[in-house]
Structure formats: C-alpha cells, structure tokens
Amino acid sequence: MKKIVSAMLLFAAIITTAVLASCGDDNDEPAKESLTGNYMGNDALGIAFAGHDYSATAGGVKYAISENKDGSLNITFPEENFDFTGQGAPPFFNQIMQGSYVVKNIPFNAAKNAYYLDYGGTVRVDVTLNGKQGNYEITSGELSVTFDGSNVKLVNAYKYKGMPPALTMTSTFNGVKVLNK
C-alpha cells in the first residue's frame, strides 16, 4: 500500500510539473501594439542655404505607416505645402508643394534605437516650386523613425537631384496615431 501511495504522489508531482511548465511566460508580456496605422500631426521643414536657415510647417498632415512581415516599415508621405514667403528665402523655394511618395522596407537599427534607412536614389516625387512642376529623384535621403506609445517622430534629411550642394533640407514630423472607429 505504501508503494502505491508513493507511486501516486510521484505521478502527481510529475503531472504538476508538466502542467506548470506549460504555463510558461506566454502571458507575462503584453502583446506588442501594431505600429500600422495613420498618424496625424505637423511636419516642419527646415532648409539651410548660404548661411541662412528657413523653416515652414505643414499642419494637420497624415502619414500612413505599415509593418511588413519581416518587421520593417513602409511609410507613405502625404502631399504637403510649405510656404517660405517673407523669410527672405531664395525665390526658387519660396513655395514648395511636395507630392506623396512611399519609402519601403525601413528596418529597425538597434545601434540607433530607431527604424532607419538611407533611401537615396530609390524614390522619385512630384514637386512644384513656385508654380513650376517637376518630377525629382531624391538623391540623398536618410530617414529615422521612433515611436513612444502612440506618438511617432520622423526625421527626414533629403535632397532633390539638381539642388545646390550647399542646400540641405530636413523635415521633422511629430504625429499621434489616429484611432480607427
């Protein structure tokens, strides 16, 4: 009888260990919220040229972000209007209307703790400068994307083909994820 009780206790201990081991850590961490969605906010464009800095803001713009299966991001930049009138900017960029474009497969860069991609030479965009329309290649473009909860910050340093070498452009978008209803 003693052997039967010992065997039953040993069997119960084995079953308990197996059941507890199967509980694991699956539920200890909350599920990662998807980054996919629309983000509304303001995009500030800074231009530095000939020792002067100029800035303009496009307000209430919507960026679309989607996650790929490999964890990288695709970002759709919206059409935006920037007005530098009255700042003494060179006439060739007083008014800039930049068309929508997409930057794809932006990987997470652990060293930068951000999604980061040097995407120069991979994107073309329709741009209207002071009423003159053209389709421009972005010859140099560095995009950094960080998230803080439902907030996103995109810093995009880029140049269109044919821009003066001394001219630099950096846009900074700060947005909040729009909840789908």
Side-chain angles (χ1 to χ4, degrees):
M1 181 73 164
K2 212 176 192 183
K3 287 184 180 182
I4 293 175
V5 171
S6 294
M8 287 175 50
L9 287 173
L10 179 60
F11 179 72
I14 291 170
I15 294 297
T16 302
T17 302
V19 168
L20 291 177
S22 70
C23 290
D25 293 340
D26 330 357
N27 299 329
D28 291 349
E29 289 187 33
K32 178 185 167 215
E33 184 177 331
S34 173
L35 302 175
T36 296
N38 293 317
Y39 293 79
M40 294 290 294
N42 296 321
D43 196 6
L45 176 60
I47 296 180
F49 182 66
H52 299 282
D53 294 323
Y54 307 96
S55 64
T57 300
V61 294
K62 179 173 67 175
Y63 278 66
I65 298 175
S66 62
E67 288 180 278
N68 298 312
K69 288 183 181 181
D70 66 0
S72 66
L73 302 177
N74 295 337
I75 298 181
T76 301
F77 288 73
E79 180 177 289
E80 298 177 286
N81 293 298
F82 297 99
D83 187 353
F84 295 90
T85 306
Q87 296 184 38
F92 64 89
F93 71 81
N94 272 334
Q95 301 269 334
I96 299 173
M97 187 182 84
Q98 181 172 274
S100 179
Y101 64 98
V102 179
V103 177
K104 296 181 178 182
N105 302 316
I106 306 159
F108 186 78
N109 183 310
K112 294 181 182 294
N113 197 28
Y115 290 86
Y116 173 83
L117 183 65
D118 182 344
Y119 68 96
T122 66
V123 173
R124 295 191 68 86
V125 62
D126 290 326
V127 179
T128 303
L129 299 170
N130 298 324
K132 186 178 178 187
Q133 188 174 9
N135 182 269
Y136 295 89
E137 177 184 0
I138 296 179
T139 56
S140 89
E142 290 187 40
L143 179 61
S144 177
V145 185
T146 56
F147 294 90
D148 183 9
S150 62
N151 298 312
V152 66
K153 180 177 183 177
L154 286 86
V155 178
N156 186 22
Y158 62 105
K159 282 189 175 194
Y160 303 126
K161 185 173 187 170
M163 288 176 51
L167 190 143
T168 62
M169 297 172 45
T170 303
S171 70
T172 303
F173 173 75
N174 289 293
V176 177
K177 190 172 188 179
V178 179
L179 299 177
N180 294 332
K181 294 182 181 182

